[in-house]
């Protein structure tokens, strides 16, 4: 089903950036809009950090400057993604209402003087944020510039927890709702261990500084609570906005795999997803790969709807030890990659580079150098002109036959301390995503309770925490003909981080046709040889374990020591499908060897076979199909299009049989 355009007023690719006119005299604003028009900007995110300029005390609001900004923009054909301005409370607020300030686990306060210093559970923050949103929404509800709402900014970007009195109270209330009784909490948290039994709710705290390991379920619940507490704030703002402007879509900018926020819950509450992408341009950092994973996550969070790349940089950031500058041409390539992977908007942080404050050395669309003489601005204008040619791509979607399971509860629980070894959830997920990215196989991220019937292959990397109902969902998917690949240390605990005894991996033993008796984690430099049948030897690392087969067949076995001859990789035929299990971690090259064979078996293919480091995606909208080809090589490549032909939209040329792409070149072909 084709999706609707993101914004009612346009079917253009959205193009622009964060605009902070309050940092500049109004004489500069005229020049800004002139340059915006020149660059093809059609959308700016306005007022993100404007609270202090908009409100000087409890009752005094100053909107006139913002009125003038909004009027000027719309007069020049530029729409506004208007911020609710709640991301950085003004100093007067935290001085008069100190409960606004967040407090860390050691009891130290985050003060104003930077940004995002608020406690999510502070009654004063909530009260004044709600008031501000109400005022802004009422004032601009009918303004012709307004096309979207930008709630807050990058929730939990800097502050990942709060342990102040209001947060402690809110945590208790959250637990009361979850468990109903202290008895249920004591049971879930396993408080018989280390004398932690609670007799009264007032004894329960957020996980503050302790001599050694904090109760794991207490920590896990705190992570859940914190994500929910910020989401409550976001919903509070959203409800005000929807009441006053029911037709204006709302978003808040995500940050890809941001551990503190369970974005699956968040995405349900907003109208379209957007994210901020800052891959490191330093050579060797594989920024394209990192960005592709963020695009795929942001797209997957809201199936059936394109996303917006809300922020990226034109040139360089200011917050790494070395802030490498994107080489000429790569900003365009990264921007078109966002579109190729399902984005309908390409925006930057920020429009005009600051000359004061902590971000004055962060690149922008208009840099410190005179705009008209700047390479960056020329590239910005050229990109704006190109995006105008891609309007018909908007609303088209990506169809994936492969899914990788991502679950925040499993992530939080897995990375808590006192485990058999140190796992890194994101890198386990990334190893699989990388394979599909590099092989140009479209891949979605999904939760373990997703209806998986449209996928031919589902991968579950280290799904340490797994609820019974979700395990049943995976089992049913396999029985109906799906293929699943589960990797080691999955299905170990239930939702409360309590172990399922009687053989790992708990609820998945029947699905996988095996059980695991004990683990032999490997040292950092230790390797194990794993042999495929009688053939190829692969290199395994990090983990090994004793697998007992109960129906599954070994595809590969460990070759050394006590585990010699025991299964390292298994396959279980179940109903119409198959469940595979990897009892170790393979290095990336060897994982590819195995996955190549697996996808051949399942008949999963890239849309086109191309030279290495050429990215291929397909966006579809009803009968329209758009083939994106992105050359990440520093040299030209020739691509054999096989039987495909069509109109290349950036050059408006008919293409048949083959196409030549320059270094960092991109083609978007509307297929015949
Ligand atoms: C983002 C943030 C922006 C700006 C940018 C710099 O995290 O939303 O306001 O600070 O980083 O890279």
């Amino acid at each position: 089903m084709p999706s609707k355009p993101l914004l009612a007023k346009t079917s253009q690719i959205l193009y622009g950036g964060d605009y902070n006119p309050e940092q500049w005299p109004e004489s500069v604003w005229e020049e800004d809009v002139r340059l915006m028009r020149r660059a093809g900007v059609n959308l700016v995110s306005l007022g993100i950090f404007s609270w202090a300029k908009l409100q000087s005390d409890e009752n005094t609001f100053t909107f006139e400057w913002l009125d003038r900004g909004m009027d000027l923009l719309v007069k020049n054909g530029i729409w506004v993604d208007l911020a609710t301005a709640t991301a950085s409370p003004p100093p007067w607020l935290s001085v008069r209402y100190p409960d606004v300030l967040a407090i860390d686990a050691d009891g130290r306060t985050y003060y104003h003087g930077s940004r995002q210093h608020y406690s999510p559970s502070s009654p004063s923050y909530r009260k004044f944020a709600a008031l501000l949103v109400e005022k802004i929404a009422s004032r601009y509800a009918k303004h012709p510039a307004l096309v979207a709402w930008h709630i807050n900014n990058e929730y939990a970007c800097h502050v990942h927890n709060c342990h102040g009195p209001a947060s402690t109270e809110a945590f208790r209330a959250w637990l009361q709702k979850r468990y109903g009784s202290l008895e249920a909490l004591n049971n879930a948290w396993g408080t018989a261990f280390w004398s932690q039994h609670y007799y009264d709710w007032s004894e329960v705290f957020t996980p503050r500084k302790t001599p050694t390991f904090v109760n794991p379920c207490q920590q896990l619940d705190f992570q859940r609570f914190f994500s929910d507490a910020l989401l409550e704030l976001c919903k509070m703002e959203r409800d005000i906005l929807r009441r006053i402007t029911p037709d204006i879509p709302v978003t808040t900018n995500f940050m890809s795999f941001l551990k503190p926020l369970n974005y699956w819950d968040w995405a349900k509450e907003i109208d379209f997803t957007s994210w901020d992408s800052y891959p490191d341009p330093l050579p060797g950092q594989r920024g394209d790969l990192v960005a592709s994973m963020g695009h795929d996550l942001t797209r997957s969070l809201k199936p059936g709807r394109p996303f917006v790349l809300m922020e990226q940089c034109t040139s360089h950031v200011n917050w790494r030890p070395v802030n490498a500058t994107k080489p000429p041409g790569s900003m365009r390539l990264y921007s078109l990659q966002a579109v190729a992977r399902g984005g309908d908007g390409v925006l930057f942080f920020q429009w005009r580079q600051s000359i004061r404050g902590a971000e004055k050395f962060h690149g922008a669309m208009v840099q410190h150098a005179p705009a008209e003489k700047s390479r960056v601005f020329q590239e910005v204008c050229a990109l704006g002109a190109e995006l105008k040619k891609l309007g018909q791509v908007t609303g088209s979607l990506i169809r994936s036959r492969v899914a990788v399971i991502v679950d925040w509860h499993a992530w939080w629980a897995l990375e808590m301390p006192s485990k058999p070894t140190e796992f890194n959830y994101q890198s386990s997920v990334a190893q699989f995503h990388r394979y599909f990215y590099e092989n140009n196989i479209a891949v979605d991220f999904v939760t373990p309770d997703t209806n998986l019937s449209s996928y031919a292959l589902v991968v579950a990397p280290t799904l340490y925490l797994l609820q019974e109902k979700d395990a049943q969902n995976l089992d049913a998917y396999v029985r109906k003909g799906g293929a699943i690949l589960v990797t080691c240390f999955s299905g170990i605990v239930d939702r409360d981080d309590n172990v399922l005894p009687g053989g790992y991996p708990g609820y998945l033993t029947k699905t996988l046709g095996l059980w695991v008796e004990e683990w032999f984690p490997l040292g950092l430099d230790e390797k194990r040889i794993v042999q495929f049948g009688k053939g190829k030897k692969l290199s395994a690392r990090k983990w090994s374990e004793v697998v007992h087969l109960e129906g599954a067949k070994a595809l590969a076995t460990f070759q050394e020591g006590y585990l010699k001859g025991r299964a390292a990789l298994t396959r279980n035929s179940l109903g119409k499908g198959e469940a595979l299990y990897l009892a170790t971690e393979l290095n990336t090259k060897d994982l590819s060897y195995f996955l190549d064979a697996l996808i051949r078996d399942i008949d999963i293919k890239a849309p086109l076979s191309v030279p290495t480091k050429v990215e291929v995606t397909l966006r579809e909208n009803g009968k329209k199909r758009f083939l994106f080809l992105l050359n990440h090589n520093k040299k030209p490549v020739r691509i054999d299009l096989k039987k495909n032909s069509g109109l290349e939209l950036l050059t408006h040329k008919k293409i048949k049989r083959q196409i030549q792409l320059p270094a960092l070149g991109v083609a978007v072909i509307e297929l015949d």
Side-chain angles (χ1 to χ4, degrees), residues 49 115 153-154 157 253 276 278 311 317 319 349 359 362:
F49 296 104
R115 64 175 177 187
N153 190 65
E154 288 191 344
C157 160
N253 45 343
D276 302 344
Y278 292 99
E311 289 181 23
V317 298
W319 39 262
F349 177 84
E359 293 185 322
H362 192 293

Side-chain angles (χ1 to χ4, degrees), residues 603-616:
D603 195 27
I604 295 171
K605 284 194 201 90
L608 197 66
S609 77
V610 289
T612 52
K613 292 178 78 183
V614 174
E615 182 179 348
V616 186

Side-chain angles (χ1 to χ4, degrees), residues 18 20 48-49 115-116 150 152-155 157-158 253-255 276-278 310-313 316-319 348-350 359 362-363:
D18 283 19
N20 301 302
I48 295 178
F49 296 104
R115 64 175 177 187
Q116 205 176 81
H150 185 104
N152 198 281
N153 190 65
E154 288 191 344
Y155 281 103
C157 160
H158 308 298
N253 45 343
F254 291 166
M255 298 176 68
D276 302 344
S277 174
Y278 292 99
M310 190 59 89
E311 289 181 23
Q312 59 167 344
C313 69
H316 52 79
V317 298
N318 65 306
W319 39 262
F348 295 89
F349 177 84
Q350 58 177 329
E359 293 185 322
H362 192 293

